[in-house]
Amino acid sequence: MDLTFSPQETAFRDELRAWLAANAPAPEPSDGGEDAHYAWRRDWQRRLYDAGWAAPAWPTEYGGRGASLTESAIYFEEIGRARVPMAANVLGLLLGGPTLMVWGTPEQKERYLPPILSGEEIWCQGFSEPDAGSDLASLKTRAVKDGDDWVVTGQKVWTSGAQYSKWCMLVARSDSEAAKHKGLTYFLMDMEQDAVQVRPLRQITGEAEFNELFIEEARIPDANIVGGVGNGWKVALTTLMNERAGLGFALQIRLRQLLDDLIAKAAERGMLERYGDALAELHVRCESIRLLAWKGLTDVERYGQPGPEGSLVKWLWSDTNQRLTQLAVDIVGAEALTSGESWSYELLRARGNTIEGGTTEVLKNIIAERVLGLPRLKVAA
Amino acid sequence: MDFGFTDDQRDIQRTARDLLSERAKPERVREHAESGRSDSELWRELCELGWPGIAVSEEYGGQGLGRIELSILCEELGRSLAPVPFLASVLAATVIEHSASEAARERWLPGIASGETLGALGVAVDGTAELVVGGAEAQVIVLVEDDGTGRVLAAEEAEVEKIASIDPTRTAARVSAGDGGEALDGDVAAGVDRALVAVSSELVGVCDRALEMTVAYVKERKQFGVPVGAYQAVSHRCAQMLLETEKARSTAAFAAWTADADPERLAEAAAMAKAAASDAGREVTASAIQAHGGIGFTWEADVHWLYKRAQLDAVLLGGAGSQRARLAGILADRVRASAAA
Ligand SMILES: Cc1cc2nc3c(=O)[nH]c(=O)nc-3n(C[C@H](O)[C@H](O)[C@H](O)COP(=O)(O)OP(=O)(O)OC[C@H]3O[C@@H](n4cnc5c(N)ncnc54)[C@H](O)[C@@H]3O)c2cc1C
């Protein structure tokens, strides 16, 4: 066991840290709404891209740095630590690109990867539907073959960034006769067509971070199928596996920062003693999350496959963020319940953490069944 | 021992529930919350029925009924989240009646009882209360401090700064008293304890509604071909919500009863009720969101209004932590007294 970085990893971190210090993004726009905010994140991606920092984990042949898993984790920790925004095309960089690298044809890689990296073409994710959340494979959006095209009709939900996107990673049912997981196909759908309508989805915080997609006979050419007809579930799993990998490291740092802010508040208000036990417990959890996340990388590096850490980290992180933001109401006081303040935003937003990316209940099922090998409840397919 | 309501109390409950399910439908609550207005039409109707004065004595123009009757109304209003200034006003009335001078009682209580005057109650530190529910529209504000002192002031005597809380079904303000108004010289604690019971009862209503909505939803919502309520992760969560709600309900009922029948035990009962109800409010409404899945996180689903109401009520007049600290003190005193005896 050696819980330090190698000289090469340290050099990677120092280079990035120095670059971030010298290239801080413009200040976050205070007005202009979501469009201005998005433009700001797009500019930021451009700056990362120009310096070769948009996606260091991508292989060099696709414009990345071929960073190791550890370096990639360092990258997200540093991005979190520097409190810079996520690149505008985060879904393209983290999900779309890596999925194409596994399943895409040479033509698809050549066509789609460069504009993902530069942020010229934004990507969104069309997986969840109103009736297909935890049971994603039961999705009903239909794709019907018509000449060299597919005609797609259905509804998607929780598509963040849809209003800015050029491409949607869309999973649709291309064969209604086949078994649930077998009748799905993974498409790249052009969002710039009238058949696709985007409606903002307002959430508990009052803002609309997400959208609903209404798709009425959208056309998608054969050439935009990823991984072959009927293979959509496997391709979608590749996308979902990438979902947690990198971002977790940035979220873990964000949690740490929130805890440090809260501890400072408690000190300022003379409440360190009264809430000492609860704060210390949060500290233990934060550290466990960090250590488990790193331990998960060791599993992959040594044994070639991820252990249970990914699910454990997501579970512990979401629960801890909810506890932390709730404790903040007791420590920070009114500010944490005043709308528009950052503590109240964090409190409300944290409610989504145990739902998004797989609910805690479903994560526990996965841990029980796949990690512990417990018997599975038989339910109708 | 009989936990049941009298026929009159049952009537009050039934009337309140029928009226509110008709007049405070979720769409209407949402509409008012979104525009940040209280429902003046509904408020007028409640005033005509004498609700704001239900527990104010008859000599000050109220109905002179007990704390149990008041708790019944608080619970029903909590269930519906009706955007009316009821709770804030009755909290102020309670403390004024128990601890303000005769002149102040005569000045304020008849107006509060009829609903023409709105009141609000806040806990202040060195004269300033950071978040007073109902403070922005109240004409009379009562501020109490941890040391058992307090002041009653006309709004114009205080510094009132309107703030937008996360619960827009009612107003809120930051209030500073300065030297305005008059000091409370009676039994402030007795008033505040009764106020705690009213808040606890509202929380019971919020929990009850959250549980009802959740149970209905998880019976209907199917994933993997079965209603999600069939999964024990979900059904046990619902069972836990019931446990929390009933803990809060039974302690709130006990506290409301002691307020009228056994005031010696009120301090302990009120602290217990508020501790249980504050915890229940947070947990039950958070669980409601979780059991609804993604839809529970959306604005349209309406579960979030319950969560937000519970978050404010949970800290109102002191959260679970401070109530437990007070309880620990009461218990320690009791042990010491019996050792000395
Ligand atoms: C903030 C947020 C962001 C999101 N972002 C995205 C996104 O970017 N892309 C995307 O595709 N989707 C996204 N989603 C959707 C998310 O993946 C789903 O909401 C989630 O998988 C749950 O599905 P559901 O909403 O249909 O809830 P349901 O599946 O209906 O769940 C309802 C309740 O039942 C429980 N439950 C369901 N099945 C089981 C079971 N087998 N065992 C035990 N309990 C069960 C759940 O845990 C939950 O408590 C997002 C959701 C949120 C809230």
Side-chain angles (χ1 to χ4, degrees):
Chain A
M1 198 177 310
D2 174 10
L3 301 184
T4 59
F5 292 137
S6 71
Q8 194 195 336
E9 289 157 355
T10 307
F12 178 92
R13 185 196 63 192
D14 291 347
E15 184 190 347
L16 175 58
R17 210 176 261 187
W19 185 85
L20 285 167
N23 291 277
E28 188 170 350
S30 53
D31 52 11
E34 282 163 40
D35 290 350
H37 194 264
Y38 204 76
W40 172 65
R41 284 178 53 197
R42 223 170 168 150
D43 286 349
W44 172 239
Q45 177 162 352
R46 189 76 210 180
R47 206 187 283 206
L48 288 166
Y49 171 74
D50 288 341
W53 285 117
W58 284 24
T60 46
E61 54 176 313
Y62 303 128
R65 291 177 179 238
S68 68
L69 281 176
T70 301
E71 287 168 342
S72 180
I74 290 173
Y75 172 76
F76 285 104
E77 281 203 348
E78 293 303 316
I79 291 281
R81 191 164 282 133
R83 301 189 187 236
V84 296
M86 280 293 156
N89 200 14
V90 58
L91 296 180
L93 293 170
L94 294 183
L95 308 186
T99 303
L100 280 185
M101 288 173 208
V102 175
W103 295 101
T105 61
E107 295 74 30
Q108 285 174 332
K109 291 179 198 170
E110 195 183 330
R111 161 66 187 83
Y112 295 107
L113 293 178
I116 289 179
L117 198 61
S118 65
E120 271 161 80
E121 289 180 350
I122 304 293
W123 285 44
C124 65
Q125 183 191 9
F127 284 22
S128 291
E129 296 181 2
D131 289 332
S134 297
D135 185 12
L136 184 60
S138 70
L139 60 86
K140 294 206 240 349
T141 292
R142 245 178 326 116
V144 179
K145 183 99 172 118
D146 180 29
D148 291 340
D149 282 350
W150 292 77
V151 178
V152 175
T153 298
Q155 189 186 341
K156 294 289 175 180
V157 71
W158 301 109
T159 34
S160 59
Q163 68 274 46
Y164 306 110
S165 290
K166 170 68 178 166
W167 299 107
C168 178
M169 300 168 253
L170 183 93
V171 185
R173 190 159 302 284
S174 50
D175 181 353
S176 51
E177 311 283 291
K180 181 159 114 175
H181 295 84
K182 302 244 164 76
L184 302 175
T185 297
Y186 195 113
F187 297 93
L188 300 182
M189 179 174 74
D190 190 342
M191 293 290 285
E192 291 175 6
Q193 51 180 316
D194 291 341
V196 181
Q197 294 297 322
V198 175
R199 192 162 77 197
L201 181 68
R202 208 169 171 206
Q203 68 215 40
I204 184 170
T205 54
E207 55 170 8
E209 207 184 320
F210 304 92
N211 301 280
E212 289 178 285
L213 290 191
F214 296 89
I215 309 164
E216 189 65 48
E217 303 197 342
R219 296 194 83 84
I220 306 179
D222 266 334
N224 289 22
I225 288 174
V226 182
V229 175
N231 197 31
W233 184 247
K234 275 200 188 147
V235 183
L237 286 182
T238 304
T239 305
L240 292 173
M241 273 191 24
N242 278 287
E243 193 162 4
R244 241 166 272 143
L247 271 185
F249 282 90
L251 293 174
Q252 170 253 119
I253 293 290
R254 175 86 197 105
L255 184 68
R256 179 76 245 168
Q257 291 165 338
L258 269 185
L259 179 57
D260 288 344
D261 290 350
L262 188 59
I263 292 171
K265 269 278 187 215
E268 185 190 309
R269 307 197 57 180
M271 292 178 161
L272 266 186
E273 221 150 293
R274 180 164 168 197
Y275 292 106
D277 187 71
L279 289 166
E281 165 61 9
L282 287 172
H283 175 74
V284 173
R285 285 166 157 254
C286 261
E287 283 296 280
S288 305
I289 291 167
R290 181 177 72 84
L291 295 166
L292 270 171
W294 283 107
K295 183 167 169 285
L297 286 192
T298 302
D299 282 358
V300 179
E301 275 170 348
R302 285 205 174 198
Y303 314 112
Q305 54 183 357
E309 288 86 358
S311 298
L312 295 176
V313 163
K314 201 275 174 170
W315 170 13
L316 190 57
W317 166 77
S318 56
D319 186 63
T320 304
N321 200 29
Q322 291 180 347
R323 284 188 194 212
L324 192 163
T325 53
Q326 181 64 85
L327 184 65
V329 177
D330 295 324
I331 292 177
V332 177
E335 191 197 317
L337 294 175
T338 304
S339 95
E341 293 293 331
S342 72
W343 283 110
S344 74
Y345 174 83
E346 298 290 348
L347 173 77
L348 297 173
R349 184 62 186 79
R351 297 275 37 121
N353 297 160
T354 47
I355 302 170
E356 59 196 319
T359 69
T360 298
E361 289 80 1
V362 168
L363 279 182
K364 290 182 186 174
N365 287 348
I366 292 172
I367 292 166
E369 287 161 18
R370 305 216 193 119
V371 182
L372 301 176
L374 288 169
R376 208 185 150 148
L377 194 67
K378 281 266 178 293
V379 291
Chain B
M1 181 82 72
D2 177 8
F3 252 90
F5 288 150
T6 63
D7 288 347
D8 285 348
Q9 289 166 344
R10 233 184 329 242
D11 276 349
I12 293 174
Q13 185 183 44
R14 194 170 320 120
T15 312
R17 188 164 302 189
D18 289 350
L19 178 91
L20 293 170
S21 61
E22 196 47 47
R23 299 282 204 284
K25 290 200 161 75
E27 311 81 73
R28 194 170 168 97
V29 172
R30 193 192 316 158
E31 189 190 311
H32 283 88
E34 285 176 349
S35 62
R37 284 178 301 122
S38 71
D39 190 339
S40 47
E41 211 177 302
L42 175 62
W43 180 237
R44 214 170 309 123
E45 210 167 329
L46 302 186
C47 292
E48 277 161 22
L49 293 167
W51 284 23
I54 190 166
V56 174
S57 354
E58 283 168 302
E59 61 174 309
Y60 301 113
Q63 298 192 46
L65 296 174
R67 307 312 296 185
I68 296 179
E69 285 79 3
L70 175 62
S71 277
I72 290 172
L73 292 185
C74 289
E75 186 179 328
E76 293 307 316
L77 284 159
R79 280 180 58 87
S80 70
L81 300 179
V84 291
F86 179 86
L87 183 73
S89 241
V90 302
L91 297 181
T94 302
V95 178
I96 291 173
E97 185 152 3
H98 277 86
S99 58
S101 66
E102 179 58 29
R105 279 185 272 180
E106 275 168 13
R107 178 175 177 197
W108 298 115
L109 291 177
I112 294 183
S114 71
E116 272 156 52
T117 303
L118 298 181
L121 170 65
V123 175
V125 176
D126 300 329
T128 298
E130 293 295 335
L131 201 162
V132 178
V133 167
E137 52 185 350
Q139 286 94 40
V140 54
I141 299 174
V142 180
L143 292 186
V144 295
E145 306 256 344
D146 264 352
D147 62 4
T149 62
R151 304 189 79 75
V152 52
L153 326 86
E156 58 274 12
E157 294 171 304
E159 222 177 277
V160 178
E161 183 197 330
K162 185 171 179 166
I163 53 181
S165 87
I166 58 171
D167 173 17
T169 59
R170 48 196 189 180
T171 69
R174 183 175 190 274
V175 179
S176 290
D179 300 324
E182 66 170 61
L184 299 173
D185 57 4
D187 191 352
V188 175
V192 172
D193 281 338
R194 285 173 174 80
L196 285 170
V197 181
V199 181
S200 303
S201 296
E202 175 164 291
L203 278 164
V204 171
V206 171
C207 291
D208 198 54
R209 173 82 181 291
L211 177 57
E212 181 183 288
M213 283 174 78
T214 302
V215 167
Y217 185 78
V218 303
K219 280 183 188 167
E220 285 297 314
R221 172 71 176 178
K222 285 189 176 164
Q223 289 290 280
F224 306 98
V226 296
V228 295
Y231 298 115
Q232 288 179 347
V234 175
S235 63
H236 287 188
R237 179 185 290 285
C238 293
Q240 181 84 37
M241 291 166 76
L242 177 71
L243 177 69
E244 297 294 328
T245 304
E246 292 304 316
K247 249 165 78 189
R249 189 196 303 281
S250 54
T251 50
F254 175 59
W257 176 83
T258 49
D260 293 333
D262 190 6
E264 288 283 293
R265 299 177 73 182
L266 175 60
E268 178 196 349
M272 237 162 39
K274 186 59 174 37
S278 297
D279 281 346
R282 285 177 172 183
E283 282 171 32
V284 171
T285 57
S287 264
I289 292 175
Q290 184 67 22
H292 276 74
I295 200 83
F297 190 71
T298 64
W299 189 262
E300 277 118 284
D302 288 328
V303 197
H304 65 104
W305 300 117
L306 293 162
Y307 179 76
K308 291 167 179 172
R309 173 69 68 100
Q311 284 289 329
L312 270 115
D313 280 0
V315 294
L316 197 56
L317 311 181
S322 57
Q323 302 303 335
R324 279 192 292 263
R326 196 156 73 101
L327 266 177
I330 293 172
L331 297 177
D333 287 347
R334 187 175 298 164
V335 171
R336 268 193 294 271
S338 74

